[in-house]
Amino acid sequence: MNQVLANQAVRLSAEQAHQSNLKSIETSVKSINLNVASVVLIQDVIYRSLTEVREGLRDGLQVKNMAIYVSDVLKYSNQMIDQAKGEPYLLLFAEENMQWSKRRLLALTEEVNKLVLTGGKEVMMDYVKRDELLDMINHELILLRASVYRAYRAMHYAKQNGLLKSLNPYKNFIERDKDLVNEIFRNYNYLQR
């Protein structure tokens, strides 16, 4: 009877840990979905606001770059979701980057909406304000693309290196100690000459 009760206690704690991990994974997936939705919203806002002046901006390098950045963000986000399908714990390695990206995207969306809604058509016709808006959006999209790529690579390396190696808090200390030992040996050999 004691063994059955001990087994039941272990199983209950394992189920609670599993439920906790599932909630964390669900939060990460929601964060990724929110980021993708925000990117699509920004793309839609940009498209609607630039429709009035598309003839003047058709060949603009910035607009072309924005489309490339948005497609890169979507590509990396989809790759992250594909990686997480088989091993959902990998989303934990991307969560910090995705939270940062979410904050930046919400700020960018708010700024673009405020500027376009308060200025109306005149904002897009004024080339100075339009160029400032495009510069700001390009800059934010570059940062977003870098953040999503960093999150994707963190998941990729965690998958490649394994969970335990990726979670090792002493990994940096060990590498630094190895470098110090190698430097001591190099200096010792140099001094012997």
Side-chain angles (χ1 to χ4, degrees):
M1 185 66 154
N2 286 338
Q3 289 177 346
V4 169
L5 291 175
N7 183 26
Q8 182 181 5
V10 170
R11 288 182 68 189
L12 284 175
S13 66
E15 285 182 32
Q16 289 173 347
H18 179 68
Q19 290 298 326
S20 173
N21 287 340
L22 287 178
K23 286 180 184 176
S24 175
I25 290 168
E26 180 183 0
T27 303
S28 298
V29 168
K30 284 181 182 177
S31 174
I32 289 172
N33 287 339
L34 178 64
N35 287 338
V36 170
S38 297
V39 169
V40 170
L41 175 65
I42 288 173
Q43 186 178 15
D44 186 49
V45 168
I46 292 168
Y47 177 77
R48 280 188 281 121
S49 61
L50 293 177
T51 331
E52 305 269 333
V53 290
R54 75 170 179 244
E55 293 300 320
L57 297 174
R58 187 182 308 172
D59 296 326
L61 183 60
Q62 290 180 325
V63 175
K64 290 178 184 177
N65 287 340
M66 279 192 273
I68 292 169
Y69 301 148
V70 168
S71 69
D72 284 347
V73 167
L74 292 174
K75 178 180 76 172
Y76 295 135
S77 296
N78 289 333
Q79 288 175 348
M80 287 169 51
I81 289 171
D82 287 342
Q83 276 187 349
K85 285 180 185 174
E87 299 175 64
Y89 67 88
L90 293 174
L91 289 172
L92 298 174
F93 294 98
E95 187 171 352
E96 181 180 338
N97 289 323
M98 297 316 294
Q99 292 297 327
W100 183 85
S101 298
K102 182 172 79 171
R103 286 191 303 272
R104 294 296 286 224
L105 276 170
L106 292 176
L108 176 63
T109 304
E110 181 180 298
E111 185 70 27
V112 170
N113 276 333
K114 183 175 71 172
L115 188 62
V116 170
L117 293 177
T118 57
K121 295 178 183 177
E122 292 78 28
V123 169
M124 298 315 293
M125 297 308 285
D126 182 6
Y127 71 92
V128 174
K129 289 183 181 178
R130 185 179 65 230
D131 288 344
E132 288 176 4
L133 177 65
L134 289 175
D135 286 340
M136 180 190 67
I137 292 171
N138 262 325
H139 178 72
E140 291 296 325
L141 286 175
I142 289 170
L143 293 175
L144 174 68
R145 181 179 67 165
S147 176
V148 173
Y149 180 73
R150 198 167 89 199
Y152 164 71
R153 294 306 289 179
M155 286 177 64
H156 177 75
Y157 285 127
K159 182 177 183 178
Q160 212 172 33
N161 294 335
L163 180 63
L164 293 178
K165 275 188 177 179
S166 299
L167 292 176
N168 183 2
Y170 302 107
K171 184 172 77 173
N172 291 337
F173 295 112
I174 293 170
E175 293 299 323
R176 192 177 71 197
D177 289 346
K178 285 180 182 178
D179 290 341
L180 286 172
V181 168
N182 288 334
E183 184 179 341
I184 289 170
F185 280 128
R186 276 194 306 274
N187 290 341
Y188 176 74
N189 290 333
Y190 178 74
L191 291 173
Q192 289 297 320
R193 292 183 204 171

